[in-house]
Amino acid sequence: MDADKVFKALGDPTRRKLLDLLCERNGQTLGQLCENLEMARQSATQHLEILEAANLVSTVKRGREKLHFINPVPLHEAYERWVRKFERQRLSLLHDLKKELEGDDQ
Amino acid sequence: MDADKVFKALGDPTRRKLLDLLCERNGQTLGQLCENLEMARQSATQHLEILEAANLVSTVKRGREKLHFINPVPLHEAYERWVRKFERQRLSLLHDLKKELEGDDQ
DNA sequence: GTAATATGCAGGTAAATGCCTGCATGTCAA
DNA sequence: TTGACATGCAGGCATTTACCTGCATATTAC
């Protein structure tokens, strides 16, 4: 997994929306996905390419259509390897912050 | 929480490294953080401003120093409201994908 | 007070990003 | 075969991004 590609891919609201759309109904074509976005088809294609490069989406050609499927693995790995560390320390980090904001400096 | 700011902030490797550094030792000054980055102080400042705008980092001025603390709340919320949806459906999404990659199209 | 230290502020630039238009290719159906 | 449909490819353009340098301000130590 390339963590940077995954996080970069998630950094754009259109791409998060695409993942949302695929989560609602997996295996949609490019055209179907475009109906829910307010941009040109080619722009959506570029976003989908970025998601594919991050391995968050896999595609299958069926005739003249291209079907898009979520691959949940990289997202899971990014969470496990990166976000979870912060979750583990969440309460103590929150404690640091509160103590400091209260000006408790002695 | 502004989800877009949070995800955008996490989309840069330098900013993730800053969060990592603060996770190891919370409350570091700008100068301390810069020692671990290979860029000018001003560049690091800009990254920290973005983390602060996303509310992922809070700062406290102490004399001429500026201390930086992680705020774990927005990250937790982003996970809860967004990533967890995919976690819940993870196995079924993975199943869709596998079925399709096997060319199981009937 | 003065010098060293820590940070803030104001541009400036090259590269990346996100969007577009126009045209080409490939597939299906009549 | 021909026209409609789904997608691919190439290039252009405005904005944002990530980095920098140079100088200003504020705090501490001597």
Side-chain angles (χ1 to χ4, degrees):
Chain A
M1 180 207 44
D2 183 332
D4 196 46
K5 281 189 183 174
V6 172
F7 278 104
K8 275 222 172 70
L10 296 178
D12 181 273
T14 301
R15 292 194 285 270
R16 289 197 304 278
K17 181 164 188 179
L18 281 166
L19 291 179
D20 272 337
L21 289 170
L22 288 177
C23 200
E24 286 173 20
R25 184 154 54 100
N26 215 352
Q28 292 188 65
T29 67
L30 174 58
Q32 289 172 325
L33 291 168
C34 282
E35 286 171 16
N36 293 283
L37 299 181
E38 298 188 349
M39 62 178 57
R41 172 180 56 82
Q42 288 84 345
S43 307
T45 300
Q46 290 178 338
H47 284 298
L48 287 164
E49 281 168 359
I50 290 170
L51 289 169
E52 220 178 323
N55 205 25
L56 286 162
V57 162
S58 295
T59 60
V60 178
K61 288 218 76 172
R62 178 126 74 185
R64 65 184 158 183
E65 294 182 325
K66 189 176 188 179
L67 309 183
H68 297 78
F69 293 84
I70 294 188
N71 178 6
V73 175
L75 188 54
H76 182 66
E77 289 180 359
Y79 167 68
E80 279 291 331
R81 295 192 194 173
W82 201 81
V83 179
R84 214 170 159 182
K85 170 170 65 175
F86 296 94
E87 284 294 300
R88 265 183 254 118
Q89 291 193 233
R90 197 171 118 244
L91 293 180
S92 78
L93 291 171
L94 201 54
H95 177 72
D96 292 345
L97 182 59
K98 275 190 178 158
K99 212 175 68 175
E100 202 57 37
L101 293 180
E102 286 162 6
D104 186 0
D105 52 343
Q106 54 280 347
Chain B
M1 179 207 46
D2 184 331
D4 196 45
K5 281 188 182 175
V6 172
F7 280 103
K8 275 222 172 70
L10 297 178
D12 182 273
T14 301
R15 293 194 285 270
R16 289 196 303 278
K17 180 164 187 180
L18 281 166
L19 291 179
D20 272 336
L21 290 169
L22 288 176
C23 199
E24 285 173 20
R25 183 153 54 99
N26 215 352
Q28 292 188 65
T29 66
L30 174 58
Q32 290 172 324
L33 291 169
C34 283
E35 285 170 16
N36 293 282
L37 299 181
E38 296 189 350
M39 62 177 58
R41 172 181 55 83
Q42 287 83 345
S43 307
T45 300
Q46 291 178 338
H47 285 298
L48 286 164
E49 280 169 358
I50 289 170
L51 289 169
E52 220 177 325
N55 205 24
L56 286 163
V57 162
S58 295
T59 60
V60 178
K61 286 218 78 172
R62 178 125 72 186
R64 65 183 157 182
E65 293 182 326
K66 190 176 187 179
L67 309 183
H68 298 77
F69 293 84
I70 293 188
N71 178 6
V73 175
L75 188 54
H76 181 66
E77 289 180 358
Y79 167 68
E80 279 291 330
R81 294 192 196 172
W82 201 82
V83 179
R84 212 170 160 185
K85 169 170 65 176
F86 297 94
E87 283 294 301
R88 266 184 253 118
Q89 292 193 233
R90 196 170 119 245
L91 292 180
S92 77
L93 291 171
L94 201 54
H95 178 70
D96 293 346
L97 182 60
K98 276 190 180 160
K99 211 174 68 176
E100 202 57 38
L101 293 180
E102 287 162 5
D104 187 359
D105 51 345
Q106 54 280 345

